[in-house]
Amino acid sequence: MVSFLLSIVVLIIGYLVYGVFLEKVLGIDKNKKTPAYELRDDVDYTPLPTWKVFMIQFLNIAGLGPIFGAIAGAMFGPSAFLWIVLGSIFAGATHDYFSGMLSVRHKGLSISEVVGIYLGPKVKHLMRAFTIILLIFVGTVFLVGPAKIIDGLTSESMGVPFWVLLILVYYFLSTLLPIDKLIGKLYPVFGLAMLIMALGLFVVLMTGDFTIPEVTWGNLRNMTSNPTETPIFPVLFVTIACGAISGFHATQSPLMARCMRNESNGRIIFSGTMITEGIVALIWAAAAMVCFGDVGALNSTMAANNNNAAWAANEITLSMLGQVGGILAVLGIIAAPITSGDTAFRSCRLILADVFQLDQKKYIKRFYISLPLFVIAFALTQVDFGIIWRYFAWSNQTLATVVLWTITAYLIFEKKNYVVSLVPAIFMTMVCSTYILIAPEGFSIENTYAYWGGAVITILVIGLFGWYVTKGRLQMA
């Protein structure tokens, strides 16, 4: 219990202290006109109140990540608490704040275009394709996930395909309509449901007869059923993504960069939402560790139910919050992924519009860009959910790594303190390279060789980045 409460306190302090430090590293200009005013079109570029931008950004980045990822991460034991706290402050908040503010500084450009400015046109082209694929994966994951949850709640009376089509219709509308027409009106309601859900679980954890495991040296061991197949490094750092650091966040930040009224709002909108998500992930991780008895029981229960995080989330809410609280909590579980899926497709549309320099004021142009995305996503719903999720997890963290290197390049170019992004960039490079070597969806290399391979790849990336910078190839597009 002490470790859990201390983790929440440290996250809040991290926002208040390290968040201010990051803001000073960047150097904000309160008098500079933001893209919301400079390029206002009342479709994507629209000034919105800060509280509303915060809620939209929070729901955009939250999704199933801090719920499903935290439940899966809890299977490792209290080491999940450490990663959520340290990852959220020193990796996630850094990644989210700078990626968001770089978009603000570059007229709300999509992350692939921002990457191209600082890492060159070749990386930009690669990132365009990579980001679009990732966003389609996200949209598909957040299409199938909530459809399965709703289907379970309705006793499978309508079937998953029906709910997939219904959610797809909503996604299509939210992608095409101006941001303040549908997203701007629904998100505050959904956001309230998700926050009440997390608050309800927190109250039950504090008042119920639960023993949340402490972060001690003995408890930092790998508590999964098969530690050899799921080593803490790197699997935990990919499993818990949205509750610590997630490349998906960088794809969402440009949406809010186009709605932000002042640069001074960046800390609460970008860093603040990341820290809030970290707190939500902590609550879900703690709930998962105690709801079924202990971490060992969690692992055996998950194994008996095919590691179905959606089932586990439903069981946790019903058993800990009861029927009434469970209904509200499930609303949050459903709303969270849906409000990330819709903006995933919207982000994809904006990236394609940036790439082809297409004006988005007319509905027909938005329609032509969006239709193929939904056709592809619907086709992917026929693929096994677990496979899509695994590839999404690695792709997500790889994108975060590239964005961290982009931020480092920017800070070097501007002669600012680049260590804040360099250290997490190196760490995440090691995580992603080692994971793809170890993982069954990757190369399935034996752990020891994978660690050596990951180290070699990381050294090569560091060297390539250093060569790129010192040779003077860092340039503004």
Side-chain angles (χ1 to χ4, degrees):
M1 183 72 75
V2 173
S3 299
F4 170 64
L5 291 175
L6 186 60
S7 295
I8 293 177
V9 171
V10 172
L11 276 176
I12 296 171
I13 294 174
Y15 168 72
L16 295 174
V17 177
Y18 198 67
V20 171
F21 173 70
L22 294 176
E23 191 176 55
K24 289 182 178 178
V25 170
L26 175 71
I28 61 172
D29 184 355
K30 295 182 179 180
N31 299 316
K32 188 174 182 180
K33 187 179 288 188
T34 61
Y37 292 106
E38 187 179 359
L39 301 172
R40 182 168 186 169
D41 62 4
D42 291 325
V43 175
D44 298 308
Y45 292 89
T46 304
L48 295 176
T50 302
W51 71 269
K52 186 171 285 190
V53 177
F54 175 91
M55 291 301 297
I56 296 174
Q57 176 70 2
F58 171 63
L59 286 166
N60 284 354
I61 68 175
L64 292 171
I67 300 175
F68 285 14
I71 291 172
M75 296 167 69
F76 288 85
S79 54
F81 291 157
L82 278 183
W83 170 231
I84 291 170
V85 173
L86 298 178
S88 293
I89 295 172
F90 297 108
T94 301
H95 170 277
D96 286 18
Y97 179 71
F98 281 103
S99 63
M101 293 306 295
L102 283 178
S103 182
V104 172
R105 293 283 173 89
H106 293 288
K107 302 183 184 300
L109 280 179
S110 303
I111 189 60
S112 57
E113 309 308 295
V114 174
V115 168
I117 291 173
Y118 296 102
L119 295 184
K122 291 182 179 179
V123 180
K124 177 174 68 176
H125 297 320
L126 180 64
M127 282 298 293
R128 283 173 172 174
F130 188 82
T131 306
I132 289 170
I133 292 171
L134 174 65
L135 287 171
I136 293 175
F137 274 171
V138 171
T140 305
V141 166
F142 291 162
L143 178 62
V144 177
K148 287 186 174 181
I149 295 172
I150 299 172
D151 190 50
L153 294 173
T154 55
S155 302
E156 302 180 353
S157 58
M158 303 301 292
V160 173
F162 171 80
W163 296 111
V164 165
L165 285 172
L166 193 62
I167 295 171
L168 203 59
V169 170
Y170 165 74
Y171 282 177
F172 200 71
L173 292 174
S174 62
T175 301
L176 294 181
L177 292 173
I179 196 165
D180 61 331
K181 301 302 181 185
L182 190 59
I183 290 175
K185 288 181 170 60
L186 289 179
Y187 274 41
V189 178
F190 288 154
L192 184 62
M194 187 173 184
L195 290 175
I196 290 176
M197 167 190 65
L199 180 61
L201 287 175
F202 176 78
V203 171
V204 172
L205 285 170
M206 293 298 98
T207 58
D209 186 20
F210 300 109
T211 302
I212 302 174
E214 303 291 346
V215 178
T216 62
W217 184 252
N219 280 342
L220 290 180
R221 61 186 173 84
N222 191 333
M223 295 185 179
T224 58
S225 301
N226 195 332
T228 302
E229 290 186 4
T230 55
I232 287 181
F233 186 92
V235 178
L236 173 62
F237 303 94
V238 174
T239 301
I240 300 180
C242 291
I245 179 172
S246 166
F248 175 65
H249 296 187
T251 68
Q252 301 303 288
S253 294
L255 272 70
M256 295 302 95
R258 302 180 186 207
C259 300
M260 207 167 78
R261 290 178 170 179
N262 194 286
E263 284 196 0
S264 62
N265 304 142
R267 180 163 67 95
I268 188 170
I269 290 171
F270 300 122
S271 294
T273 51
M274 178 65 247
I275 297 301
T276 303
E277 186 184 48
I279 294 173
V280 171
L282 277 175
I283 292 171
W284 274 98
M289 290 181 196
V290 301
C291 181
F292 303 100
D294 55 23
V295 177
L298 168 66
N299 275 278
S300 58
T301 303
M302 288 290 285
N305 289 276
N306 298 317
N307 291 317
N308 189 337
W311 172 87
N314 189 45
E315 286 296 307
I316 290 169
T317 54
L318 290 177
S319 63
M320 297 183 71
L321 296 176
Q323 290 295 331
V324 176
I327 291 172
L328 182 60
V330 169
L331 175 61
I333 294 174
I334 295 170
I338 288 178
T339 53
S340 287
D342 58 5
T343 49
F345 286 115
R346 192 179 186 94
S347 298
C348 208
R349 171 176 68 79
L350 294 177
I351 290 173
L352 290 172
D354 286 345
V355 169
F356 297 108
Q357 298 182 345
L358 297 175
D359 180 76
Q360 295 292 280
K361 289 184 179 180
K362 294 183 178 180
Y363 278 104
I364 191 65
K365 291 186 177 180
R366 286 175 252 159
F367 177 83
Y368 285 148
I369 294 178
S370 303
L371 186 59
L373 302 177
F374 288 103
V375 172
I376 295 171
F378 184 74
L380 285 175
T381 62
Q382 308 307 306
V383 179
D384 180 67
F385 178 84
I387 294 174
I388 296 175
W389 181 264
R390 289 197 298 271
Y391 280 109
F392 157 68
W394 176 78
S395 303
N396 184 45
Q397 297 303 69
T398 301
L399 176 59
T401 303
V402 174
V403 172
L404 284 170
W405 283 114
T406 302
I407 294 166
T408 304
Y410 162 77
L411 293 174
I412 292 174
F413 185 76
E414 295 293 324
K415 298 180 180 179
K416 298 178 185 292
N417 184 355
Y418 59 86
V419 176
V420 297
S421 58
L422 176 63
V423 173
I426 293 173
F427 178 77
M428 290 306 298
T429 301
M430 184 66 181
V431 166
C432 293
S433 55
T434 306
Y435 181 85
I436 199 63
L437 294 176
I438 285 179
E441 64 268 25
F443 295 96
S444 297
I445 296 176
E446 195 274 327
N447 291 7
T448 302
Y449 295 113
Y451 290 139
W452 280 108
V456 170
I457 293 172
T458 301
I459 292 171
L460 289 174
V461 170
I462 294 171
L464 181 63
F465 179 81
W467 171 81
Y468 180 79
V469 173
T470 56
K471 285 293 184 179
R473 296 180 64 187
L474 187 65
Q475 60 183 359
M476 299 295 291

